[in-house]
Amino acid sequence: MNLERVVFGFFIILTLSLNYAFVAGGVEAGAHHNVWILTLTIIVNLVAIGLKLGDRSQTGALLLASGLVAGLLLITARVVWIVVESGGGSEPGPGEMADIVSLATGALVANIVATVILVGDTLLSRR
């Protein structure tokens, strides 16, 4: 067993899981979405991106691209949340929350792509 691959897979799957945990719930319901889960998802995604930087393969390039897309969307969602809170000092309303969750859902798609690529690469390398 390769410990480096285990750690890499752990962070890819953890990012996907946290991203899903944030997105799950009613799109416009602010009570269903926790800002700290979004923040933790961003941090774990950045760690996963850092782990992807050393891989020079075509698969590594696709994993890095999907991680960068997810990171960009998650950071944008967090910035929207920060702007909304600083503007009125309150939680995001239904419209803003729908925007935040939509961005995080886009990141979820990118994280699913990364996980599928990782699993496919693992299955192909076993042969």
Side-chain angles (χ1 to χ4, degrees), residues 46-111:
L46 291 174
V47 170
I49 289 171
L51 293 173
K52 294 172 190 175
L53 288 175
D55 192 351
R56 298 257 183 211
S57 68
Q58 182 65 29
T59 302
L62 290 172
L63 288 170
L64 180 59
S66 65
L68 291 171
V69 167
L72 178 65
L73 291 170
L74 290 169
I75 290 169
T76 303
R78 185 63 178 107
V79 167
V80 169
W81 196 311
I82 290 169
V83 168
V84 168
E85 281 186 338
S86 67
S90 63
E91 293 291 318
E96 292 93 1
M97 188 54 71
D99 293 340
I100 292 166
V101 173
S102 294
L103 288 165
T105 302
L108 179 64
V109 171
N111 283 323

Side-chain angles (χ1 to χ4, degrees), residues 10-60:
F10 170 79
F11 278 99
I12 296 291
I13 295 169
L14 182 60
T15 301
L16 173 65
S17 301
L18 287 169
N19 199 167
Y20 179 78
F22 176 76
V23 169
V27 175
E28 297 175 349
H32 295 178
H33 309 286
N34 187 314
V35 67
W36 295 111
I37 293 176
L38 177 59
T39 304
L40 185 59
T41 304
I42 293 168
I43 293 167
V44 172
N45 188 71
L46 291 174
V47 170
I49 289 171
L51 293 173
K52 294 172 190 175
L53 288 175
D55 192 351
R56 298 257 183 211
S57 68
Q58 182 65 29
T59 302

Side-chain angles (χ1 to χ4, degrees), residues 2-15:
N2 185 343
L3 184 60
E4 181 181 330
R5 298 279 295 177
V6 171
V7 171
F8 182 68
F10 170 79
F11 278 99
I12 296 291
I13 295 169
L14 182 60
T15 301

